[in-house]
Amino acid sequence: MALPLLKSAVACADFGRTVQPYISQLNDLPQQIYQSATDPQALKEIYLNTNPLISAFALSLFLAPIFLIVSEINKNYSQVDRVWSILPTIYNLHYVAYAHAKGLPTQRLNSLAIISTIWSARLTFNYWRKGGYQIGSEDYRWEILRKYINPPLFFIFNVVFISLAQSILLFSVTMPTYILLLSSPIVPADTSDMIFSQLILGAIFLAFTADQQQWDYQSAKKSYRTTAKVPPGTSFTARDLDRGFLTHGLWSLSRHPNFLAEQSVWVFLYAWSCYVTKSYYNWSGLGAVAYMILFQASTWFTELVTSGKYEDYKIYQQRVGKFVPSLLGPGVGDLNEEEEKGKKEN
């Protein structure tokens, strides 16, 4: 049996009943797929007879060595980055497809599938327009890390974190969808689903707005540095563009509003699973927690680089919150005055 027999919403969040009994399926799955590789009907049976969480996890493990091999051959370590915006939606669509195949109620899951697709479209578009899919494109942070980590250690780092841990992470943030699948026959869709859907859509829209503001600024800065003239039609001044980083719009309230929104998407999905199962917390939140930890570390490293590149960034850090806007802090205010004051003191 691929799914547990559950009679209550609370039971849907019970790790011992919904996950632990199926972990052993991982052992036989590779051999089963190999033996049935040329038989579509047999593969369909394997798919339906395997717990959907286990099959999703198996895919994340299968992809890890592919990321490793491709990255080492090309000496380009942004292989996971290229599918970052795609894999979570693939996992979510997998749960939806499985529910349809099993004849389970799918109204809640169908809504999530649409929302997840919108999330992917937004993030994929932004990554594309920044050149992320161009041949040879790589996150600048990997290049910096390679300067400080010797090749053998960096290879281990690639195996453990870049290729494996990140692949599992992109699976883990969608684990609450498995709980929503399990609860679908027990908890009918209601108004709360619309509320959580709107919260996630709101976070996606916030991320899109922040990305667009950053894109407008970087485009204006690029033109300004080429022509030494402020582009016509832009709201930025020469001082803004000389500063080198954006402090307007959402970026006047948060140093990383896009990151705040991105983390919120998966926190809201997790909260959705908690609400449906009438629990204050459940095991599927580990994905969202790991996601936030990664963003904390990544943002720290990004700001370390940025503050070394732009001397006024430290003033910006003192005045504006990293993710959540600071209600008691001074805010971005007249940053120009602070910059002038700092320069005179130096």
Side-chain angles (χ1 to χ4, degrees):
M1 184 177 296
L3 292 176
L5 294 175
L6 305 170
K7 296 183 179 180
S8 68
V10 175
C12 296
D14 185 340
F15 183 87
R17 297 179 63 181
T18 62
V19 180
Q20 194 170 355
Y22 304 99
I23 295 176
S24 61
Q25 290 184 337
L26 273 174
N27 299 328
D28 300 327
L29 191 57
Q31 185 177 1
Q32 290 176 354
I33 294 175
Y34 176 76
Q35 293 175 343
S36 306
T38 58
D39 187 344
Q41 185 59 36
L43 289 174
K44 180 180 178 180
E45 290 299 318
I46 293 173
Y47 179 74
L48 293 176
N49 292 329
T50 303
N51 179 274
L53 183 77
I54 298 302
S55 55
F57 180 54
L59 176 59
S60 72
L61 296 179
F62 171 77
L63 291 173
I66 297 177
F67 294 140
L68 176 65
I69 293 170
V70 174
S71 64
E72 289 297 333
I73 290 175
N74 295 297
K75 295 303 176 183
N76 184 311
Y77 300 91
S78 281
Q79 306 309 317
V80 179
D81 299 338
R82 288 180 170 82
V83 295
W84 193 278
S85 63
I86 300 171
L87 280 180
T89 293
I90 289 178
Y91 293 124
N92 279 332
L93 292 179
H94 151 66
Y95 291 121
V96 177
Y98 190 89
H100 277 279
K102 285 290 189 176
L104 301 175
T106 58
Q107 183 178 347
R108 180 181 294 121
L109 292 172
N110 289 341
S111 299
L112 178 57
I114 295 172
I115 293 170
S116 188
T117 302
I118 294 172
W119 172 84
S120 278
R122 192 281 303 178
L123 194 55
T124 302
F125 169 72
N126 196 57
Y127 189 71
W128 166 78
R129 69 174 172 178
K130 293 194 297 184
Y133 293 111
Q134 292 179 1
I135 297 176
S137 174
E138 183 185 41
D139 189 321
Y140 69 92
R141 289 169 293 191
W142 299 135
E143 182 179 358
I144 294 174
L145 281 176
R146 288 201 299 273
K147 294 179 180 178
Y148 295 96
I149 303 176
N150 64 51
L153 285 179
F154 193 84
F155 175 75
I156 296 174
F157 178 68
N158 187 13
V159 172
V160 175
F161 176 74
I162 300 177
S163 298
L164 179 59
Q166 288 194 125
S167 182
I168 295 175
L169 175 64
L170 295 178
F171 148 77
S172 68
V173 292
T174 67
M175 292 190 300
T177 308
Y178 172 64
I179 292 181
L180 295 182
L181 180 155
L182 295 176
S183 65
S184 59
I186 302 171
V187 184
D190 57 22
T191 306
S192 65
D193 297 310
M194 182 179 66
I195 293 174
F196 281 106
S197 296
Q198 290 177 343
L199 284 172
I200 298 175
L201 285 172
I204 294 172
F205 178 75
L206 180 66
F208 174 80
T209 302
D211 286 341
Q212 187 60 47
Q213 290 176 352
Q214 187 67 245
W215 176 262
D216 291 341
Y217 176 78
Q218 295 298 335
S219 298
K221 186 175 75 171
K222 182 178 180 180
S223 175
Y224 176 70
R225 290 186 171 181
T226 302
T227 65
K229 296 180 181 179
V230 176
T234 183
S235 61
F236 304 113
T237 65
R239 187 62 172 271
D240 293 329
L241 300 175
D242 282 328
R243 184 181 298 116
F245 56 91
L246 178 60
T247 61
H248 289 246
L250 293 173
W251 302 80
S252 67
L253 303 173
S254 166
R255 302 201 301 273
H256 303 279
N258 52 343
F259 290 176
L260 169 64
E262 176 65 19
Q263 294 170 86
S264 297
V265 167
W266 304 111
V267 170
F268 288 146
L269 177 60
Y270 165 61
W272 196 351
S273 76
C274 289
Y275 182 86
V276 168
T277 57
K278 298 178 174 58
S279 56
Y280 290 106
Y281 59 89
N282 63 62
W283 59 269
S284 72
L286 291 174
V289 171
Y291 205 74
M292 289 189 290
I293 292 174
L294 175 63
F295 267 76
Q296 286 288 345
S298 175
T299 303
W300 170 82
F301 185 61
T302 299
E303 292 204 326
L304 185 66
V305 175
T306 304
S307 61
K309 187 176 181 181
Y310 304 111
E311 60 178 329
D312 298 325
Y313 195 79
K314 291 182 179 180
I315 300 175
Y316 180 54
Q317 288 177 302
Q318 294 170 359
R319 300 181 69 94
V320 178
K322 182 190 293 184
F323 297 126
V324 180
S326 176
L327 299 179
L328 301 178
V332 69
D334 192 346
L335 195 60
N336 290 338
E337 291 184 5
E338 288 288 338
E339 291 167 353
E340 285 296 333
K341 180 181 177 181
K343 290 176 182 178
K344 288 179 179 179
E345 290 178 352
N346 293 332

